[in-house]
């Protein structure tokens, strides 16, 4: 079942540092006193000026809401075993749904990447740090946003819309940008099945390729070529114009055209996430699967619904959570959970604990909680019990800093034989074109 994203707009909108100078007059005087007896010695690279101070990154957007009041964070001694072995292999450190009786296992480097959908624009970026503080400093490494699906110009990634997300992604190598991309304009306009079938035929014939080429070029230009593209999400439902049910065969052809078009753009490193909603919905999501060649990640949107369905039943139902990981394993694909959260069963801590445990054991590429009412736990005050579970299990997770790139070591300076270099300082040496070195016998030749 499709869930409308709250707050997604239809249009996008968005010195050189001082150097510490050595005494110039002294440097010039020393240089003048030895120039007559000195031999030029280019022991440093003189093609570039002295280094400049690093630029200051842009400040975060304002207007962050106050977090929901909740119990003080508890270190995850009773949390899920994030980083545990893969599907179907729980260990002694893995909790079971409803228990919370385990100690995390696995190394910090293996903790799954996670985040939350917090808003589509700059406010969503600013809220990432605030949610991290609410979690006791646990870092959210995944940023998640959506392209507006009202018209093709916005599906192409309008100027200014993605810039703030691209800047956030580029600030750290271990971050991930997840972007939901509609396959059709008027995506939430309740377009009838007959018209959807006609649109899918046009898409399969290549009529809309140019829009996705433009989007790919835009992402590469913003230097986020490794964006995860959640294309045509929840296609097995009835909410969106890009749904699969009216014509599954042409839907799959259309998906394949889009992926091929975006992959053809030079510099791209996109990963494409096929993400149906959990359960059968309007059609079995397996009927929409476009093939292994054009799917990199097998996702699932997994909200707590319908009313009265327990988490265990959500695992075991046809086309449910277990069927999803089994299908992914059979097709050698990693899994993800781009959307998940509370819904029809209200403030449900059992669902929250169950989902966190499930994701800890099955190691998704990423997961992003939908954090607004009725689904969320931070910006939504209606779910205090589930918020306590989420916060206690994910607070104070260790921060993993990627290994820095090795610093290039400049070659050792070389000097002519019998020459002693003088240290006159960066500023003087820059204007002289390099170091000066004095012959060892200069004093005897001057007598």
């Amino acid at each position: 079942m499709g869930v409308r994203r709250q707050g997604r707009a239809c249009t996008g909108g968005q010195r050189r540092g001082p150097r510490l100078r050595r005494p110039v007059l002294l440097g010039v005087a020393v240089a003048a006193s030895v120039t007559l007896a000195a031999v030029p010695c280019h022991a440093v690279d003189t093609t570039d000026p002295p280094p400049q101070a690093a630029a200051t990154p842009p400040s975060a957007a304002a207007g962050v809401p106050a977090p929901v009041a909740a119990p003080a964070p508890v270190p995850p001694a009773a949390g899920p075993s994030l980083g545990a072995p893969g599907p179907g292999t729980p260990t002694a450190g893995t909790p079971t749904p409803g228990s919370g009786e385990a100690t995390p296992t696995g190394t910090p480097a293996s903790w799954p990447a996670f985040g939350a959908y917090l808003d589509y624009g700059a406010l969503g970026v600013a809220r990432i740090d605030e949610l991290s503080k609410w979690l006791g400093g646990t870092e959210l490494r995944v940023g998640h946003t959506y392209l507006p699906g009202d018209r093709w110009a916005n599906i192409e990634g309008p100027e200014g819309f993605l810039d703030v997300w691209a800047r956030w992604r580029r600030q750290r190598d271990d971050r991930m940008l997840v972007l939901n991309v509609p396959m059709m304009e008027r995506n939430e306009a309740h377009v009838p099945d007959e018209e959807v079938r006609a649109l899918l035929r046009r898409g399969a014939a290549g009529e809309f390729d140019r829009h996705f080429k433009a989007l790919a070029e835009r992402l590469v230009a913003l230097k986020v070529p490794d964006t995860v593209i959640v294309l045509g999400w929840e296609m097995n439902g009835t909410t969106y114009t890009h749904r699969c049910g009216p014509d599954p065969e042409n839907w799959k052809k259309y998906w394949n055209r889009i992926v091929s078009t975006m992959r053809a753009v030079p510099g791209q490193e996109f990963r494409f996430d096929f993400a149906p909603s959990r359960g059968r919905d309007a059609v079995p999501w397996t009927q929409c699967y476009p093939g292994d060649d054009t799917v990199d990640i097998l996702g699932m949107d997994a909200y707590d619904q319908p009313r009265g369905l327990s988490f265990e039943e959500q695992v075991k139902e046809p086309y449910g959570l277990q069927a999803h990981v089994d299908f992914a394993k059979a097709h050698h694909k990693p899994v993800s959970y781009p959307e998940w959260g509370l819904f029809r069963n209200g403030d449900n801590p059992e669902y929250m604990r169950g989902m966190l445990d499930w994701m800890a054991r099955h190691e998704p590429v990423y997961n992003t909680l939908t954090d607004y009412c009725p689904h969320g736990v931070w910006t939504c005050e209606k779910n205090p019990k589930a918020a306590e579970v989420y916060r206690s299990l994910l607070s104070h997770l260790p921060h993993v800093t990627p290994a820095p790139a090795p610093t290039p070591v400049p070659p050792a300076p070389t000097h002519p034989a019998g020459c002693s270099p003088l240290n006159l300082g960066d500023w003087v040496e820059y204007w002289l074109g390099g170091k000066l070195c004095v012959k060892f016998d200069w004093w005897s030749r001057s007598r």
Side-chain angles (χ1 to χ4, degrees), residues 33 60 71 75 99 137 151 169 200 208 213 260 262 281 294 299 335 361 374 393 400 417 421 430:
S33 68
S99 68
R151 54 197 179 99
R169 165 63 185 89
L200 290 174
F208 308 133
K213 180 175 184 290
S260 297
M262 295 185 71
D281 214 320
T294 56
V335 299
R361 290 190 288 117
L393 297 185
V400 181
Y430 170 63

Side-chain angles (χ1 to χ4, degrees), residues 197 200-201 203-204 247-255:
R197 279 191 287 272
L200 290 174
R201 287 194 297 269
D247 190 344
E249 292 307 311
N250 274 316
W251 190 94
K252 290 184 281 189
K253 291 177 183 177
Y254 183 31
W255 166 287

Side-chain angles (χ1 to χ4, degrees), residues 85-159:
T89 56
T91 66
T94 303
T96 56
S99 68
E101 297 293 336
T103 300
T105 61
T107 62
S110 67
W111 292 57
F114 76 97
Y117 173 72
L118 301 166
D119 190 74
Y120 71 93
L123 181 58
V125 175
R127 284 173 168 170
I128 292 174
D129 284 343
E130 294 303 308
L131 179 53
S132 176
K133 292 175 184 176
W134 185 71
L135 291 173
T138 297
E139 182 167 1
L140 280 66
R141 293 196 289 118
V142 185
H144 188 184
T145 190
Y146 295 73
L147 286 176
D150 58 332
R151 54 197 179 99
W152 285 118
N154 287 329
I155 295 174
E156 293 177 2
E159 189 74 25

